Amino acid sequence: MNKMVFLLVMLLLTACTSTPQNVNEFDQNVSLGKVAMKNEYYRAALYHFEKAKVDQPNDADLKTLTEMAESKIKQSLDNMKPRSSLADTYEKYESIMRKQGKEPSWREWELDRLNQTSKRDDGVDTNGDTFEDYVTQAELAQTEPGKLNDEQLLDDWLLHYNH
C-alpha cells in the first residue's frame, strides 16, 4: 500500500513539473514566432509556431498566428516576379535572342518561365531542400532584423537545383 501511495505521489509530482516546462517552451516558441513575424521572416515564424503546436495543438491564438504566417508566405510567393532561366522579362529574352541571331519565341520563354516557377514550388536542390526549406533556414539564421530578398534567395537556391 505504501508503495502505491508513493508511486501515485511521484506520478503526480512528475506531471506537475512537466507542465510548466511545456508552457515555457510554448510561450518561448510563440514569442520567437511573433518576433520573426515582426521582422517579416514568415517562414521562421511558421517554424516556431509549428513547434509551439506540439505543446498546445488547439490554441486558438496560435492557429490565427499560423494562418497569418502562411498567408504572408503565399503573398510573398505571389509577389515574386515570374522567373526564367533565359531572362526575367520577355524584353530581355528578346534582346538576348536577337543578339545571338535567333528569332525570339514567346512560347519558349513562357514555357521556361513556368518551368522555373514549378522548380520553385515543387523542386529540391542538391541538398534535398525545397525552396521553402532553404528560405526557412536563411531566416532562422538571421540574428538581426532586416528583410531577406526572396528574389536573391531563389537565384542562390537555383544554383544548387537538382535537375
Side-chain angles (χ1 to χ4, degrees):
M1 181 70 173
N2 284 340
K3 284 184 181 181
M4 289 295 279
V5 172
F6 177 74
L7 288 175
L8 184 60
V9 169
M10 291 303 290
L11 183 63
L12 288 172
L13 286 175
T14 303
C16 291
T17 58
S18 64
T19 303
Q21 180 183 358
N22 291 348
V23 170
N24 288 340
E25 287 179 28
F26 173 82
D27 290 342
Q28 182 180 12
N29 281 313
V30 170
S31 178
L32 288 170
K34 286 179 178 179
V35 169
M37 289 277 287
K38 181 180 176 193
N39 292 330
E40 298 182 20
Y41 296 141
Y42 303 114
R43 291 161 185 93
L46 188 59
Y47 170 83
H48 291 295
F49 296 150
E50 292 297 327
K51 283 179 67 178
K53 270 188 188 177
V54 171
D55 295 320
Q56 294 187 26
N58 298 322
D59 186 89
D61 291 336
L62 182 58
K63 183 179 182 200
T64 301
L65 290 167
T66 300
E67 289 170 355
M68 286 173 54
E70 289 171 342
S71 173
K72 291 291 189 175
I73 291 168
K74 183 183 179 319
Q75 183 181 11
S76 123
L77 290 172
D78 290 346
N79 289 339
M80 288 179 75
K81 291 185 287 185
R83 309 296 294 183
S84 169
S85 59
L86 301 171
D88 62 351
T89 65
Y90 182 72
E91 291 75 24
K92 288 181 183 177
Y93 163 72
E94 189 176 34
S95 174
I96 291 167
M97 291 292 108
R98 293 204 190 278
K99 286 180 183 174
Q100 294 176 358
K102 299 176 184 175
E103 190 60 32
S105 163
W106 174 267
R107 182 178 186 281
E108 183 179 332
W109 180 79
E110 183 65 15
L111 287 173
D112 189 61
R113 185 185 68 77
L114 292 172
N115 184 39
Q116 292 296 315
T117 301
S118 176
K119 286 179 184 179
R120 181 198 75 192
D121 294 345
D122 302 321
V124 295
D125 66 9
T126 53
N127 297 321
D129 292 329
T130 64
F131 175 65
E132 289 299 308
D133 294 337
Y134 183 77
V135 176
T136 299
Q137 292 166 16
E139 288 181 356
L140 288 170
Q142 290 296 307
T143 56
E144 296 179 19
K147 190 170 183 183
L148 293 172
N149 183 325
D150 283 349
E151 302 284 340
Q152 184 60 50
L153 288 170
L154 181 58
D155 288 342
D156 295 345
W157 178 79
L158 285 171
L159 290 175
H160 304 288
Y161 181 75
N162 189 14
H163 299 284

